[in-house]
Amino acid sequence: MPRYSITTFGCQMNVHDSERMHDVLRCAGYTEAGSADEADVLVLNTCSVREKAEQKLRSEVGRLARWKRERADRVLVVAGCVAQQEGERLLKQMRAIDVVVGPDNIPELPGLLGDLAIGGLPIARTVFDLDAPRFLVASPPSSSSSPRGAPTAFVTVMKGCDERCSFCIVPHTRGPERYRPSDEIVAEIAALVAAGTREVTLLGQTVNSYRDPLGALPRAPGASADDPDESEFAALLRRVAADVPGLARLRYTSPHPRHLTPSLVLAHAELPVLPRHVHMPVQSGSDRVLRRMIRRYTRAEYVARTRGLVEAVPGLTLSTDIIVGFPGETEDDFAATLSLVREVGFKGLFGFKYSRRPHTPALKLADDVPEGVKGERLARLFEESEALLTAHLSALVGTTQEVLVEGRDKERGHGGAGGALWSGRTGRHEIAHIDGAGELDLLGEVVEVSITRANKHSLQAELTEAARAAARPRQRGGLEARPARRSLPVVAAEGG
Ligand code: 5AD
C-alpha cells in the first residue's frame, strides 16, 4: 500500500482540509507514513495569506527536490491556497512538483495520483465548485483509523469570502461565499458528539455571514429583516444548541465585525453552550486605515458592537488580529491602534506586518511603511497585548474555572508531581495545565480546577476536591482507548 504524509501550513481551515485529505487518501487505500522519509506521496498544504508563508513553500519544495530524487516513484503534491493561487505556474516553476490541487478539489486527489501512477504528466486541478459546493465531512464512524472521538473538532459551515478587504488574498484563493445546509452541519456535529467530541469550532472565512442555502432556519430572536449586516448565523447557533444537547462548547472562527448584530449578541446571552470568548479581527484602530482596508466599519462601530457583546455576557473576553504597516499608516494611525487595544482590552492578539499579496486591491497603494518601522510597531503592539494578557491571567489566580481537557501536556517543564500532565482550555479559551492528576484519565472531560499560578501565556491549575472525587470512577472507564486528536504537523504559527 502506498504511504503518504501531509504537512500543513497556515490557518484552521487548512488544518481541517488536511484532515479531509487524510480521509480521502485512506479511503483510496493509502496508509499514513511515520515520516516524510517513509512516504511515497508527500502533500504540502500551503498558505499564501502573507508572503512569508508563501516563501516557506518555495524553500520546502527546494529542500524536497533531494527527497524526490532518491526514488523515481515519489510524488510531491502541493495543495491549499498557494496551489489555488498559482495553479499550473507552480508546475512550470518547480519541476519537483507532480500534482497541484486546490482546496475545492481535494476529493479528486486519489484520481490525480492514480493518473500519475499509470504514466500521466504532472497536473494542476484548481477549479472552484461554484455550482455544487462540496463540504467534506469527517470519515464515517466505522473507520477505526479515523480521528473521531477527539475532544475538539472543526466543522465547516461556509467557505469562500465575499468581503473585499484590500489587503486580503482569500477571496482569490477560496472563491466566493458558499454555505452548507444547516441539516448537514447539525448531522455532522451530532455524529461527532455521539463519538465523544465535546467541543466543536464552526469554521468559515467570514463564519458569521452564514445563511442556510435551503432556507431551513427560522428567524432568530433579535434578527432584523432590513439590516443588511444581518445573517442567519445566530439561528444556526440556536439550532445546533437545541439539536445537539450533548455538546459542551460551541466556538466559531473567524467572524467579521459587520455581522456582530443584535441577534448574535442575544444568542451569546442566552446559549450557555457558547463559551465566553470571541475572536473578532479588527485589523486597525484608525478609521483612515480601516477605510483604506475596505473593512466596512468604523472604530466606533467596532467598539460599540463588541461592548454590546461584553455587556450581554459578563466576563466575555475578546481576542483579535491586527495588521501593522498597512500602506499609508502614520504614527498617529498606529497610536490609534494601540489605544484601541487598550480600550477594548484584548486578551489575545495575533499581529502581522502588512505583506503585499497578488490579486489584492491594496497592490495599487504604495507599500510605503519601511520594514524597520513595521517591525518596531509590531514589537510595541505585542508589548501592549502581553501586558494585558499578563494582568488578565494574574487576576485569575485563586479562582475556580471549568477546563475541557484536550490532551496530555507537551510542556513537561511545567512540573506536575503525579507524572503526566493534562492540559485544556477554560471557557474563555485560556490554556490551563493541570498539575498532579497524572493517575486520572481526564481526556475529553470538563473538569473544575482552581488556578494556582499564571504563566506568560497560560494558567497552572489543580483539580478541585469535587472534581478529583468525580474523576476517579472514570479512571478505568475505557476513555484511555479513545483516540487522541490526530496531531497534524502544523508549521507556520507565524507571529508576523
Ligand atoms: N498582510 C498581513 N497580514 C494579513 N492578514 C491577511 N492578509 C494580510 C496581509 N496581506 C492577516 C489578517 C487576517 C489574518 C488571518 O491574517 O490580520 O485577519
Side-chain angles (χ1 to χ4, degrees):
M1 274 200 281
R3 285 162 305 176
Y4 72 91
S5 173
I6 302 177
T7 303
T8 311
F9 300 83
C11 67
Q12 277 136 331
M13 195 65 99
N14 266 13
V15 174
H16 186 263
D17 284 349
S18 287
E19 288 183 4
R20 302 294 76 80
M21 282 194 273
H22 279 282
D23 288 345
V24 297
L25 288 173
R26 270 197 305 262
C27 283
Y30 291 75
T31 54
E32 189 172 3
S35 69
D37 275 340
E38 292 165 19
D40 308 297
V41 176
L42 201 93
V43 182
L44 300 177
N45 194 10
T46 62
C47 170
S48 65
V49 77
R50 285 169 294 276
E51 196 181 358
K52 212 156 102 184
E54 195 181 324
Q55 279 163 0
K56 269 193 195 134
L57 162 73
R58 294 182 191 272
S59 61
E60 196 65 14
V61 173
R63 224 172 46 79
L64 286 167
R66 184 143 45 89
W67 170 87
K68 266 214 60 151
R69 277 198 301 271
E70 278 166 14
R71 279 206 351 242
D73 60 345
R74 279 184 162 162
V75 175
L76 182 56
V77 179
V78 174
C81 288
V82 184
Q84 187 66 42
Q85 175 194 314
E86 296 295 318
E88 297 224 330
R89 272 198 300 274
L90 278 180
L91 297 177
K92 296 206 183 84
Q93 289 167 358
M94 290 183 276
R95 297 283 170 186
I97 301 172
D98 301 291
V99 176
V100 174
V101 64
D104 283 0
N105 305 104
I106 290 173
E108 293 148 70
L109 182 54
L112 297 173
L113 293 173
D115 290 348
L116 205 66
I118 55 168
L121 292 173
I123 184 162
R125 180 91 183 128
T126 54
V127 184
F128 289 133
D129 54 12
L130 300 180
D131 296 333
R134 283 175 293 200
F135 293 91
L136 300 182
V137 301
S139 44
S142 56
S143 157
S144 59
S145 58
S146 82
R148 293 174 62 100
T152 65
F154 296 124
V155 170
T156 311
V157 305
M158 54 90 67
K159 58 182 178 178
C161 185
D162 288 350
E163 294 291 324
R164 286 295 175 268
C165 304
S166 60
F167 51 81
C168 190
I169 195 169
V170 166
H172 181 80
T173 57
R174 295 280 172 162
E177 290 182 13
R178 281 145 293 159
Y179 312 103
R180 189 175 178 194
S182 58
D183 287 349
E184 264 182 42
I185 296 167
V186 169
E188 185 176 358
I189 297 174
L192 285 165
V193 169
T197 293
R198 308 302 314 279
E199 172 184 289
V200 161
T201 303
L202 304 179
L203 280 185
Q205 267 87 15
T206 51
V207 70
N208 59 340
S209 70
Y210 177 82
R211 289 178 183 283
D212 188 300
L214 305 179
L217 289 173
R219 178 164 324 150
S224 146
D226 40 43
D227 179 353
D229 294 343
E230 195 61 79
S231 71
E232 291 183 330
F233 189 61
L236 176 68
L237 296 177
R238 285 179 185 274
R239 168 133 193 239
V240 173
D243 291 3
V244 196
L247 185 65
R249 288 179 183 172
L250 180 58
R251 299 188 190 278
Y252 55 85
T253 198
S254 271
H256 190 285
R258 226 160 48 79
H259 302 292
L260 178 53
T261 53
S263 67
L264 182 50
V265 171
L266 204 59
H268 272 275
E270 292 180 4
L271 302 179
V273 74
L274 297 180
R276 288 180 302 151
H277 171 262
V278 172
H279 182 73
M280 187 64 71
V282 67
Q283 312 300 357
S284 170
S286 154
D287 280 337
R288 215 177 61 90
V289 175
L290 286 173
R291 214 165 33 243
R292 288 155 67 94
M293 286 179 163
I294 321 186
R295 287 293 287 176
R296 304 207 277 165
Y297 54 81
T298 62
R299 173 192 174 120
E301 281 164 350
Y302 182 92
V303 169
R305 287 186 171 205
T306 51
R307 184 171 291 153
L309 187 58
V310 174
E311 279 167 6
V313 188
L316 181 138
T317 57
L318 293 160
S319 58
T320 202
D321 290 349
I322 284 176
I323 297 175
V324 301
F326 186 77
E329 185 187 72
T330 63
E331 183 55 34
D332 281 353
D333 292 321
F334 178 65
T337 295
L338 283 183
S339 89
L340 179 80
V341 169
R342 278 189 295 266
E343 182 176 356
V344 178
F346 293 112
K347 304 298 188 285
L349 187 155
F350 295 98
F352 310 100
K353 291 189 267 189
Y354 170 71
S355 159
R356 272 164 73 84
R357 304 310 294 129
H359 314 286
T360 57
L363 280 180
K364 291 200 292 283
L365 308 171
D367 186 10
D368 56 359
V369 178
E371 191 57 26
V373 175
K374 285 182 186 168
E376 178 248 343
R377 286 183 187 166
L378 194 63
R380 282 159 67 199
L381 183 67
F382 285 149
E383 206 179 302
E384 196 70 52
S385 71
E386 295 266 319
L388 286 167
L389 182 61
T390 301
H392 171 68
L393 294 178
S394 304
L396 292 175
V397 175
T399 65
T400 300
Q401 303 289 334
E402 283 193 342
V403 170
L404 168 59
V405 181
E406 294 179 8
R408 287 182 186 267
D409 210 317
K410 288 177 215 92
E411 298 169 58
R412 300 269 159 159
H414 278 303
L421 276 170
W422 292 101
S423 73
R425 293 200 184 246
T426 68
R428 277 188 310 250
H429 218 43
E430 296 117 3
I431 297 167
H433 307 283
I434 304 172
D435 286 312
E439 79 284 10
L440 300 174
D441 193 342
L442 302 179
L443 186 67
E445 300 296 317
V446 178
V447 294
E448 200 181 64
V449 300
S450 43
I451 305 302
T452 53
R453 204 172 73 226
N455 305 313
K456 199 160 178 233
H457 298 117
S458 65
L459 297 166
Q460 210 65 29
E462 52 192 37
L463 292 180
T464 62
E465 280 312 312
R468 179 168 287 281
R472 272 185 215 289
R474 295 197 172 139
Q475 204 172 342
R476 297 190 209 293
L479 284 170
E480 203 79 64
R482 236 191 237 171
R485 182 178 183 79
R486 162 182 301 287
S487 58
L488 294 167
V490 179
V491 191
E494 199 185 343

